[in-house]
Amino acid sequence: MEFGLVLQCNPPASRVVDLAVAAENRGFSHVWTFDSHVLWQEPYVIYSQILAATRNVVVGPMVTNPLTRDATVTASTFATLNAMFGNRTVCGIGRGDSAVRVVSGKPSTLAILKDSVEVIRELGSGRSATVNGTSVRFPWASKSTLDVYVAGYGPKALELTGKYADGFILQLADPAIAKWTIDRVRSAASDAGRDPASVKIVVAAPAYVGDDIAHQREQCRWFGGMVGNHVADLVGRYGTDGSGVPQALTDYIAGRQGYDYNEHGRAGNSHTEFVPDEIIDRFCILGPPSHHVERLEELRSLGVDQFGVYLQHDGKDATLEAYGETVIPAMQPLVAARVD
């Protein structure tokens, strides 16, 4: 299993870069960031600094969207970073949440998302793509390669992911919901004639290492509110009877009464009181290192290839240290010594 770090681009940007360097030194393979240009600083500028300061980590958004970012510009940005630093980028994309809603917009349609996935991947990998009926190609990007991962929860988004994406991003660490979503992504891939194992699976959620569970829950309660924004859309489309989306995912938002995107992703978010402790315990990974390893083993058994650690709490440095010293080594297979 690989490990990624998910950061907000809060100023100063130098702190984001420092955390990325620390993550690489602790054994993380990926550094992801939020992409919401109004709420936080511009991630693509920061990616160039992360790549310059590190040797191997792969960077990308978790997640961008096809509305506030034109697909051709997104592809050009990644291809340029690849030309400068080697092929060390990945594009996570969804229909749009905070970046869109904070300016009173609505998420994109799945049709627009699908088209954007194909345009970004093809152009970002040095191939031709059709844009507005015209074949377009970056003549300078022949050596660039770019995978595009799709984030989603609903049945149609999962089907799209399985058919067209290089990877799937699930933003919560509940094993039951992970199994439900992964099964649908793999089924869609198989139906489309793809190898289901070719679609990489990333689960991302807040992880907080320590012994004060009550404090950790309060620091991570914001995440249940963030997921609730997506779930509310699904409830409006599919209802709550479990026929379209599992009730394990939808039941907890019954007490949801709105959301302030100016507090998005922030510990102490005043609009997340409706999130019960049970949801935090299911969606996040809290407690001592042994509990993290136990949950990660369960996720790995479901086919999860990477776990992304959301680090939006007051235990950043201690959690990074614990993952580097204990959790990541425990999740790496032992390599037998070669005997000639």
Side-chain angles (χ1 to χ4, degrees), residues 155-208:
K156 291 184 179 179
L158 300 175
E159 181 181 5
L160 182 154
T161 302
K163 286 183 176 180
Y164 302 106
D166 299 297
F168 166 53
I169 297 172
L170 174 64
Q171 291 162 301
L172 55 81
D174 180 279
I177 296 172
K179 183 179 187 308
W180 182 85
T181 55
I182 292 168
D183 285 350
R184 276 150 184 77
V185 168
R186 287 177 168 166
S187 177
S190 180
D191 290 345
R194 305 178 66 192
D195 177 4
S198 69
V199 183
K200 297 300 181 183
I201 308 296
V202 178
V203 163
Y208 195 143

Side-chain angles (χ1 to χ4, degrees), residues 27-284:
F28 287 77
S29 61
H30 289 68
V31 174
W32 306 84
T33 73
F34 287 54
D35 178 9
S36 194
H37 60 289
V38 174
L39 298 177
W40 303 289
Q41 292 183 326
E42 176 57 38
Y44 296 98
V45 176
I46 296 173
Y47 293 161
S48 67
Q49 298 301 302
I50 292 173
L51 291 168
T54 57
R55 299 176 300 277
N56 299 303
V57 292
V58 175
V59 303
M62 187 180 285
V63 294
T64 192
N65 70 85
L67 299 178
T68 61
R69 306 282 186 184
D70 177 84
T72 62
V73 177
T74 297
S76 180
T77 301
F78 284 117
T80 300
L81 290 171
N82 285 342
M84 294 174 66
F85 301 104
N87 291 315
R88 293 171 56 197
T89 65
V90 61
C91 180
I93 191 169
R95 294 174 57 216
D97 185 32
S98 62
V100 177
R101 298 184 198 263
V102 77
V103 292
S104 299
K106 295 181 179 180
S108 77
T109 65
L110 288 175
I112 291 174
L113 176 60
K114 170 186 171 295
D115 290 344
S116 296
V117 168
E118 294 179 330
V119 168
I120 292 169
R121 177 174 53 225
E122 296 308 297
L123 293 181
S125 297
R127 299 186 291 266
S128 298
T130 300
V131 180
N132 296 328
T134 300
S135 181
V136 179
R137 180 176 172 270
F138 300 151
W140 45 268
S142 61
K143 294 182 179 180
S144 178
T145 61
L146 179 66
D147 287 344
V148 180
Y149 290 23
V150 171
Y153 300 94
K156 291 184 179 179
L158 300 175
E159 181 181 5
L160 182 154
T161 302
K163 286 183 176 180
Y164 302 106
D166 299 297
F168 166 53
I169 297 172
L170 174 64
Q171 291 162 301
L172 55 81
D174 180 279
I177 296 172
K179 183 179 187 308
W180 182 85
T181 55
I182 292 168
D183 285 350
R184 276 150 184 77
V185 168
R186 287 177 168 166
S187 177
S190 180
D191 290 345
R194 305 178 66 192
D195 177 4
S198 69
V199 183
K200 297 300 181 183
I201 308 296
V202 178
V203 163
Y208 195 143
V209 178
D211 297 320
D212 189 345
I213 299 297
H215 176 74
Q216 293 174 14
R217 284 172 177 155
E218 290 309 313
Q219 285 286 301
C220 297
R221 198 175 301 276
W222 65 267
F223 185 70
M226 186 185 83
V227 174
N229 298 327
H230 302 286
V231 174
D233 287 343
L234 296 177
V235 168
R237 181 182 296 270
Y238 298 104
T240 59
D241 63 1
S243 60
V245 180
Q247 289 180 283
L249 184 58
T250 62
D251 281 353
Y252 82 98
I253 69 161
R256 181 180 181 270
Q257 296 183 4
Y259 190 84
D260 182 355
Y261 275 89
N262 291 305
E263 294 187 299
H264 187 66
R266 184 186 304 170
N269 186 328
S270 62
H271 291 76
T272 59
E273 292 92 344
F274 73 92
V275 180
D277 290 350
E278 177 200 0
I279 287 294
I280 303 168
D281 294 345
R282 283 171 41 201
F283 285 11
C284 308

Side-chain angles (χ1 to χ4, degrees), residues 276-297:
D277 290 350
E278 177 200 0
I279 287 294
I280 303 168
D281 294 345
R282 283 171 41 201
F283 285 11
C284 308
I285 307 182
L286 313 176
S290 59
H291 186 213
H292 290 250
V293 172
E294 181 182 355
R295 177 78 67 84
L296 291 168
E297 289 282 13

Side-chain angles (χ1 to χ4, degrees), residues 297-313:
E297 289 282 13
E298 188 172 2
L299 291 170
R300 180 162 62 181
S301 73
L302 298 175
V304 174
D305 298 293
Q306 181 187 149
F307 178 65
V309 175
Y310 276 91
L311 207 62
Q312 286 69 54
H313 54 63

